[in-house]
Amino acid sequence: MSTSQPPLRLSSHKSLTSRLVLSTLLGRAVRIDQIRPDSPTNPGLAPHEISFLRLLEAVTNGSHIEISYTGTVLLYKPGLITGSAAGSGASSAGVLRHEVPANNTRGLSYFLIPICLLAPFSKTKFNILFTGEGVITSSTERWGDMSVDGVRTAILPIYEKFGIERDIELRILKRSNPGRGGVGGAGEVQLVFGHQVRLPKTLHSLSPGRVKRIRGVAYSTGVSGSNNARMIEAARGVLNQFVPDIYIFSDMGGASLVPDKGNPNAKRKVGLGFGLSLVAETTSRCLYSADAVCPPEGGSAAEDVGRMAAFQLLESIQRGGCVSLEAFETVVTLMAMGSEDVGRVSLGRDVLANESSIRLARDLNAFGAAGWGIREADSEKAEGQLLVSIVGRGVGNVGRKIG
């Protein structure tokens, strides 16, 4: 899908995955420079960014990637999105095995959210097994990445609003938490995304509605299962004042064992910890999510983690709008790639005014997408919120002609 246009020039490592996704969907080469040029110890691309580039190369055909000697300049020429069956490292069953490096510090949602954006526009289905010592299934305190549970319960259901709802599954085969220094803990997750469409449906989401129920998952890995009960009790102590319909599932598992570098004959436990993922659903099927996890160095009580998750969920609900901050990139990108019609969505002011949201708007404009129309919401139920109108590009899926 190479073009005669010169590469679009951007700078900074921020929103790298989002820019690569837009480049792949729109078929426009991109050159990104000034990637951590002033870092005295680790200039250029980080391990998780290089790992994402490897994954992107595996699910596309014909992509061309050039990285400068210092790693501070990246040139990416996109190819056709082919899915996992033809990717490098795919098994005979069409399962692509992606190894996340041991020095990874980002939660797996860093990989999952942008890859899910590519999956509906693929020629064939995505079936990716994320494995390796660097897989972190919990949320991360350092980066603010949401947990895999949050992606499964708060991000994937959004695709249904765009007519993408069949054969989508996210399986957590082995849980893990950030280890010492925030480095990953050898989890294992499988993503199956088998619903490809020609064009996403136009979205009209104007009223957020009222929260009717809260669901969640409390997880502990390699530590006492009593932490789950303590987190659930603390979270319910906060949330029961607002919503009576609350159910939080408890999941306990053992820690993963990896070879000890100091003693090749011995193994050590990694990925120990606990956390809580919550999602609130409204009467109009809007979703708000929150995640809290114990710090890698420990020292945080389970009750504090539970209350933190509950307060973060209340803050997400308070922002208002039909789209949470975590789901903003997914919703806006799908709206921009959809049919050439005007889609409308109600957003909270704090969601739209966020740094990452503004950066995404600027990137879409740089790639040639139409500008947004923003005005005050007219509905009394959406008072104080903004109504954003987005015109679709009609790009859709060039590899698949029928939905």
Side-chain angles (χ1 to χ4, degrees):
M1 205 159 52
S2 60
T3 65
S4 58
Q5 291 178 298
L8 183 64
R9 300 182 69 95
L10 300 170
S11 61
S12 175
H13 64 280
K14 296 180 179 178
S15 299
L16 180 71
T17 57
S18 174
R19 290 169 171 176
L20 293 174
V21 165
L22 292 177
S23 173
T24 306
L25 292 175
L26 297 172
R28 178 76 185 273
V30 62
R31 174 190 168 97
I32 304 175
D33 53 21
Q34 298 294 312
I35 302 175
R36 302 184 184 88
D38 300 324
S39 174
T41 55
N42 297 302
L45 293 167
H48 55 268
E49 293 165 342
I50 296 174
S51 180
F52 180 78
L53 285 169
R54 286 177 37 241
L55 177 60
L56 193 59
E57 187 179 27
V59 298
T60 58
N61 183 21
S63 295
H64 178 73
I65 301 172
E66 292 182 14
I67 303 173
S68 68
Y69 179 75
T70 58
T72 58
V73 179
L74 166 67
L75 175 63
Y76 173 68
K77 297 179 181 178
L80 183 68
I81 309 171
T82 54
S84 60
S88 58
S91 68
S92 58
V95 180
L96 176 65
R97 186 182 180 93
H98 181 69
E99 294 273 350
V100 180
N103 55 353
N104 172 57
T105 58
R106 298 298 299 259
L108 197 62
S109 60
Y110 174 84
F111 301 87
L112 289 172
I113 294 176
I115 280 297
C116 286
L117 279 172
L118 296 178
F121 306 98
S122 172
K123 189 174 182 180
T124 59
K125 68 184 290 186
F126 275 32
N127 192 340
I128 306 173
L129 179 66
F130 293 91
T131 184
E133 290 188 32
V135 175
I136 302 174
T137 64
S138 70
S139 59
T140 59
E141 188 179 43
R142 175 182 175 184
W143 300 102
D145 297 319
M146 66 192 310
S147 66
V148 176
D149 294 284
V151 176
R152 179 175 54 83
T153 58
I155 301 296
L156 293 184
I158 292 173
Y159 285 85
E160 184 179 350
K161 298 182 179 181
F162 294 92
I164 307 167
E165 54 189 5
R166 301 192 311 269
D167 194 17
I168 302 175
E169 189 177 359
L170 188 57
R171 306 166 185 159
I172 306 175
L173 306 178
K174 190 183 297 182
R175 292 188 177 274
S176 63
N177 292 263
R180 186 177 302 173
V183 177
E188 195 168 303
V189 174
Q190 185 173 10
L191 170 68
V192 178
F193 204 121
H195 191 174
Q196 282 68 48
V197 294
R198 179 70 185 98
L199 282 170
K201 292 181 179 179
T202 303
L203 177 67
H204 297 281
S205 186
L206 306 179
S207 175
R210 298 177 66 87
V211 174
K212 63 177 180 179
R213 60 170 166 251
I214 295 174
R215 297 292 183 262
V217 177
Y219 51 88
S220 59
T221 307
V223 295
S224 173
S226 64
N227 290 305
N228 286 0
R230 292 160 60 190
M231 285 188 293
I232 293 172
E233 183 179 2
R236 290 183 67 97
V238 175
L239 298 174
N240 275 340
Q241 307 173 52
F242 307 99
V243 182
D245 187 2
I246 301 175
Y247 180 78
I248 303 175
F249 177 73
S250 177
D251 188 8
M252 295 168 284
S256 301
L257 296 173
V258 298
D260 192 345
K261 295 180 180 178
N263 184 2
N265 297 323
K267 292 188 176 181
R268 57 187 177 88
K269 291 184 177 181
V270 294
L272 283 72
F274 53 87
L276 178 62
S277 173
L278 298 173
V279 60
E281 183 181 352
T282 70
T283 51
S284 58
R285 303 184 69 184
C286 297
L287 300 171
Y288 306 100
S289 62
D291 279 287
V293 65
C294 67
E297 63 275 7
S300 182
E303 289 81 3
D304 295 337
V305 173
R307 280 190 291 268
M308 187 186 305
F311 289 137
Q312 287 181 4
L313 182 65
L314 294 177
E315 288 177 5
S316 181
I317 296 171
Q318 186 182 30
R319 294 189 194 107
C322 298
V323 178
S324 67
L325 185 59
E326 294 79 10
F328 180 84
E329 177 187 347
T330 299
V331 171
V332 169
T333 304
L334 288 173
M335 290 177 72
M337 297 301 116
S339 57
E340 296 180 79
D341 194 4
V342 180
R344 298 176 299 166
V345 62
S346 176
L347 296 175
R349 293 178 182 272
D350 291 340
V351 173
L352 191 59
N354 187 269
E355 180 184 353
S356 61
S357 303
I358 296 173
R359 194 181 301 116
L360 177 60
R362 289 174 175 171
D363 289 342
L364 281 168
N365 183 63
F367 277 97
W372 299 352
I374 303 174
R375 62 181 175 86
E376 293 280 352
D378 297 331
S379 173
E380 293 182 1
K381 295 181 180 179
E383 185 179 355
Q385 298 171 21
L386 298 173
L387 187 63
V388 180
S389 303
I390 301 176
V391 181
R393 281 286 303 269
V395 175
N397 191 340
V398 298
R400 188 181 181 91
K401 301 302 180 185
I402 58 175

